[in-house]
């Protein structure tokens, strides 16, 4: 190894090490800050005494339900759009424009989605400030990710799987259904989960469309408002009247939110790794 | 004639890949297409089961018939055509499924066979492709675990499972070692009893060994068609002779 190479590698290793250390320090800071209140009760109880006691169950449940609504509203449409773009659409100016728009949509700040959601779902479609409006807004937010990830997964399926099926007398749709989608499924699922995990941590899109500061009851229908982890965290850490006292609760909430996102991302990584090893088996 | 081509032209966009191809394939013969790379062998083969339809911007002119019926007539159901005309690709392309599911793939399309009948037909296809003895104990194992030669025989089993009349093979042994190649050639001999086979091959010895009739292609044209032993021993055209004696190509 030349001296220059050695300097280069050392710099890169140091930068990586510093980053890992930073993340680790951050995690330790957050988890240790919340350790005193983290418990099963913290997950299963409602906040009490003006959020200074009790747990985060309504927010946890809200985020869970919201994520399901997000998935239901974006995954089928997203996959269908990707199938159309990859398998059926003929390359042309129009399709290129569509694709370009989708790429650009994934770069739009989430607060813009929030405002759009207010205009479209809350007012124009008259869904009111509700978990449904929030779920649809987050669905829109994840749609570009879902489409792009599904497109990549479909494109990665070897042409020979399609041709092989067609040559046996499969229709185009049969080839997609029985041969292409199964091979693309892990990749699609990975993209979907990553998109959902991003959506689960969003605050701005739900802020104007459905999330509530605090609710006496759990949501029972699509028209109800809800509590959610990211917004709850925001309240606890910046809007509460006794911020110092609720700080451990805020840290514990952050820990749960990070844990949730981490579990989703690890699942996605696992699926991807498994799919890769199966492809090469 | 099982397959007859008269004045067939083929275009990729504006680039003409076939120029007036005229030849006839008899029922239950092995018909070899030889010629240098890029001369249009695969293109012609893929006209017969209309696989070229899957590419944008291609067009055909002239006449191509299967049992005297125009393959490119507007009322032809491509799906039905492809069930009569099976295809084996250059690179073995097992699907990432079990051995059983690979062979059953075509049988499951558009129909629901009782399990026992399905199993019977899968076994018959695997026997027909000389793969049964090696595969019978691991039908549910992934087809990706098979060797290259086994994978290619699996693709043949998959193709014959739907009981086609014609088998198209595009350089089926080019990705295989000599032993697997010999096994596949042996298999072709046993398949000729039931199928009309059109095979593209780069390997002249292979064409000479396995085929009844050979067509020599050059620059998208058929230069010469003749019974294989005639073409290889007494070619009529100078280009054919130059090609088979290795002076070009
Ligand atoms: N998908 C395609 N698009 C455009 N041109 C093609 C395509 N496939 C083949 N060709 C062209 O058509 C000609 C014949 O190709 P091919 O039939 O594959 O030859 P062979 O199988 O004899 O090697 C070549 O010039 C090749 O470049
Ligand atoms: Mg070829």
């Amino acid at each position: 190894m030349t001296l220059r190479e050695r300097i280069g590698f050392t710099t890169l290793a140091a930068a990586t090490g510093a980053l890992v250390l930073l993340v680790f320090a951050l995690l330790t800071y957050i988890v240790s800050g919340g350790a005193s209140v983290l418990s099963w009760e913290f997950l299963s109880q409602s906040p009490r005494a003006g959020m200074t006691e009790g747990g985060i169950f309504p927010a946890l449940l809200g985020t869970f339900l919201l994520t399901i609504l997000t998935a239901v509203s974006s995954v089928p449409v997203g996959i269908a759009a990707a199938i159309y773009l990859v398998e059926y659409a003929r390359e042309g100016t129009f399709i290129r424009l569509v694709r370009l728009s989708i790429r650009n949509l994934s770069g739009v700040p989430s607060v813009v989605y929030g405002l759009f959601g207010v205009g479209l779902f809350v007012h124009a479609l008259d869904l009111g400030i509700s978990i449904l409006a929030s779920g649809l807004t987050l669905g829109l937010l994840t749609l570009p990710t879902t489409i792009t990830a599904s497109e990549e997964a479909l494109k990665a399926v070897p042409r020979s799987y399609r041709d092989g099926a067609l040559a046996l007398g499969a229709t185009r749709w049969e080839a997609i259904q029985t041969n292409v989608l199964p091979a693309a499924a892990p990749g699609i699922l990975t993209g979907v989960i990553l998109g959902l995990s991003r959506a689960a941590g969003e605050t701005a899109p739900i802020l104007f469309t459905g999330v509530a500061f605090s609710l006496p009851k759990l949501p029972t229908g699509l028209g109800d408002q809800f509590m959610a982890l990211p917004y709850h965290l925001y309240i606890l850490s910046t809007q509460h009247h006794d911020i110092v006292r609720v700080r451990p609760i805020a840290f514990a909430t952050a820990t749960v939110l990070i844990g949730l996102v981490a579990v989703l991302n690890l699942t996605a990584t696992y699926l991807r790794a498994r799919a890769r090893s199966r492809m090469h088996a | 004639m099982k397959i007859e081509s008269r004045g067939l032209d083929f275009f990729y966009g504006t680039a003409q890949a076939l120029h007036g191809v005229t030849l006839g394939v008899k029922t239950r013969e092995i018909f070899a297409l030889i010629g240098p790379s890029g001369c249009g062998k695969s293109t012609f083969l893929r006209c017969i089961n209309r696989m070229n339809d899957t590419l944008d911007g291609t067009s055909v002119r002239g006449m191509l018939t299967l049992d005297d019926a125009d393959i490119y007539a507007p009322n032809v159901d491509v799906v039905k055509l492809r069930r009569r005309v099976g295809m084996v690709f250059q690179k073995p392309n097992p699907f990432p499924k079990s051995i059983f599911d690979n062979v059953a793939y075509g049988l499951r399309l558009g129909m629901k066979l009782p399990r026992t009948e399905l199993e019977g037909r899968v076994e018959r296809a695997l026997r027909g492709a000389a793969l049964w003895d090696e595969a019978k104990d691991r039908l549910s194992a992934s087809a990706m675990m098979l060797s290259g030669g086994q994978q290619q025989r699996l693709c043949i089993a998959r193709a014959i499972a739907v009981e086609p009349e014609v088998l198209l093979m595009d350089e089926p042994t080019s990705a295989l070692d000599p032993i697997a190649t010999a096994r596949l050639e042996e298999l072709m001999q046993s398949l000729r009893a039931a199928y009309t086979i059109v095979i593209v091959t780069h390997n002249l010895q292979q064409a000479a060994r396995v085929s009844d009739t050979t067509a020599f292609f050059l620059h998208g044209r058929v230069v010469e068609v003749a019974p294989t032993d005639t073409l290889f021993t007494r070619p009529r055209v100078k280009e054919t002779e130059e090609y088979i004696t290795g002076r070009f190509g």
Side-chain angles (χ1 to χ4, degrees):
Chain A
M1 224 193 283
T2 67
L3 185 63
R4 276 183 60 178
E5 264 182 298
R6 199 164 302 170
I7 293 174
F9 279 130
T10 315
T11 316
L12 290 177
T16 312
L19 202 68
V20 171
L21 227 82
L22 190 71
V23 170
F24 195 72
L26 206 70
L27 280 177
T28 316
Y29 176 66
I30 294 172
V31 175
S32 64
S36 61
V37 293
L38 263 181
S39 64
W40 174 245
E41 283 69 37
F42 183 71
L43 298 178
S44 62
Q45 291 183 356
S46 292
R48 284 191 312 270
M51 293 188 189
T52 55
E53 283 171 37
I56 54 167
F57 180 69
L60 196 59
L61 179 74
T63 289
F64 179 72
L65 295 176
L66 184 66
T67 306
I68 290 178
L69 279 178
T70 307
V72 169
S73 64
S74 71
V75 173
V77 184
I79 294 176
I83 291 176
Y84 175 74
L85 285 172
V86 174
E87 308 286 340
Y88 289 100
R90 296 213 167 170
E91 278 318 307
T93 318
F94 176 69
I95 290 302
R96 265 201 296 278
L97 211 66
V98 170
R99 218 170 252 139
L100 191 71
S101 316
I102 293 170
R103 299 291 180 277
N104 280 323
L105 276 178
S106 60
V108 170
S110 58
V111 64
V112 177
Y113 280 95
L115 292 172
F116 184 76
V118 178
L120 181 64
F121 300 122
V122 176
H123 295 304
L125 297 179
D126 205 20
L127 299 177
I129 303 225
S130 62
I131 191 166
L132 181 60
S134 284
L136 291 172
T137 307
L138 283 181
L140 276 187
L141 175 92
T142 50
L143 205 48
T145 324
T146 309
I147 296 176
T148 308
S150 307
E151 266 190 277
E152 295 308 321
L154 288 169
K155 278 193 216 147
V157 176
R159 203 194 149 87
S160 66
Y161 292 4
R162 295 178 179 83
D163 283 355
L166 294 176
L168 286 167
T171 63
R172 209 128 148 219
W173 175 235
E174 283 170 331
I176 292 169
Q177 247 183 324
T178 57
N179 242 12
V180 178
L181 279 180
I188 294 177
L189 206 59
T190 306
V192 164
I193 293 175
L194 289 178
L196 289 180
S197 95
R198 179 188 162 200
E202 282 289 349
T203 314
I206 59 177
L207 188 56
F208 320 121
T209 53
V211 79
F213 178 88
S214 165
L215 290 171
K217 280 192 314 180
L218 296 173
T220 54
L222 292 174
D224 289 355
Q225 282 189 268
F226 62 100
M227 292 172 71
L229 283 177
Y231 187 59
H232 193 61
L233 177 59
Y234 167 73
I235 306 279
L236 287 172
S237 45
T238 64
Q239 309 292 302
H240 199 270
H241 59 85
D242 197 353
I243 285 186
V244 179
R245 192 154 150 227
V246 296
R247 184 119 307 161
I249 299 183
F251 274 118
T253 307
T255 306
V256 173
L257 186 56
I258 290 173
L260 204 74
V261 170
V263 166
L264 285 174
N265 289 7
L266 284 175
T267 312
T269 312
Y270 168 75
L271 284 172
R272 189 159 40 193
R274 210 182 57 161
R276 200 166 290 163
S277 67
R278 238 197 318 185
M279 280 286 191
H280 296 289
Chain B
M1 288 289 161
K2 186 73 183 173
I3 302 165
E4 195 162 10
S5 172
R6 258 178 289 140
L8 192 75
D9 294 333
F10 186 87
F11 300 85
Y12 290 107
T14 53
Q16 187 164 4
L18 295 179
H19 302 261
V21 169
T22 298
L23 55 81
V25 179
K26 291 195 274 294
T27 305
R28 303 223 171 86
E29 74 166 334
I30 299 185
F31 192 103
L33 307 176
I34 60 169
S37 269
C39 67
K41 306 179 296 290
S42 299
T43 303
F44 178 70
L45 201 69
R46 292 163 55 91
C47 282
I48 303 173
N49 66 345
R50 290 185 55 170
M51 276 305 281
N52 287 323
D53 288 18
T54 62
L55 304 169
D56 285 346
T58 58
S59 53
V60 207
R61 229 170 33 198
M63 196 67 176
L64 186 61
T65 59
L66 176 67
D67 288 336
D68 299 319
D70 186 358
I71 288 172
Y72 281 91
N75 61 344
V76 168
D77 180 350
V78 180
V79 165
K80 285 210 187 97
L81 172 72
R82 291 185 187 143
R83 300 201 140 237
R84 296 175 60 195
V85 184
M87 183 166 221
V88 176
F89 295 81
Q90 182 166 356
K91 207 165 151 267
N93 64 337
F95 304 146
K97 304 175 188 293
S98 70
I99 293 174
F100 185 92
D101 287 345
N102 263 276
V103 181
Y105 187 88
L107 296 170
R108 283 174 170 149
L109 293 169
M111 53 181 162
K112 186 124 185 54
L113 295 175
R115 182 79 199 175
T116 46
E117 162 144 25
L118 190 67
E119 281 168 0
R121 289 181 70 168
V122 167
E123 175 176 343
R124 201 152 10 117
L126 283 167
R127 283 188 192 282
L131 191 59
W132 176 249
D133 290 335
E134 289 147 88
K136 65 173 187 281
D137 297 324
R138 44 176 177 157
L139 290 176
S140 55
S142 168
M144 304 312 226
M145 313 278 279
L146 297 172
S147 72
Q150 291 171 327
Q151 288 187 356
Q152 198 60 304
R153 276 180 279 141
L154 180 75
C155 292
I156 292 175
R158 195 170 68 187
I160 62 179
V162 296
E163 296 174 357
E165 298 155 36
V166 177
L167 270 182
L168 308 175
M169 300 187 174
D170 195 347
E171 304 191 31
T173 61
S174 66
L176 306 185
D177 62 56
I179 295 172
T181 299
R183 289 207 63 169
L184 209 79
E185 288 181 7
E186 223 174 278
L187 171 60
M188 275 189 265
Q189 293 308 330
S190 73
L191 291 173
R192 69 137 45 94
Y195 306 97
T196 305
I197 299 177
V198 184
I199 177 177
V200 170
T201 176
H202 239 97
N203 179 333
L204 297 179
Q205 283 81 30
Q206 181 167 69
R209 274 194 302 268
V210 303
S211 72
D212 304 297
T213 310
T214 299
F216 172 54
F217 275 63
L218 190 62
H219 304 316
R221 293 187 165 79
V222 177
V223 172
E224 187 167 353
V225 195
T228 298
D229 36 4
T230 315
L231 189 117
F232 279 98
T233 52
R234 279 168 281 124
R236 278 182 294 106
V237 185
K238 192 169 81 3
E239 278 99 342
T240 316
E241 183 178 350
E242 285 175 348
Y243 183 70
I244 60 177
T245 53
R247 253 172 284 166
F248 80 87

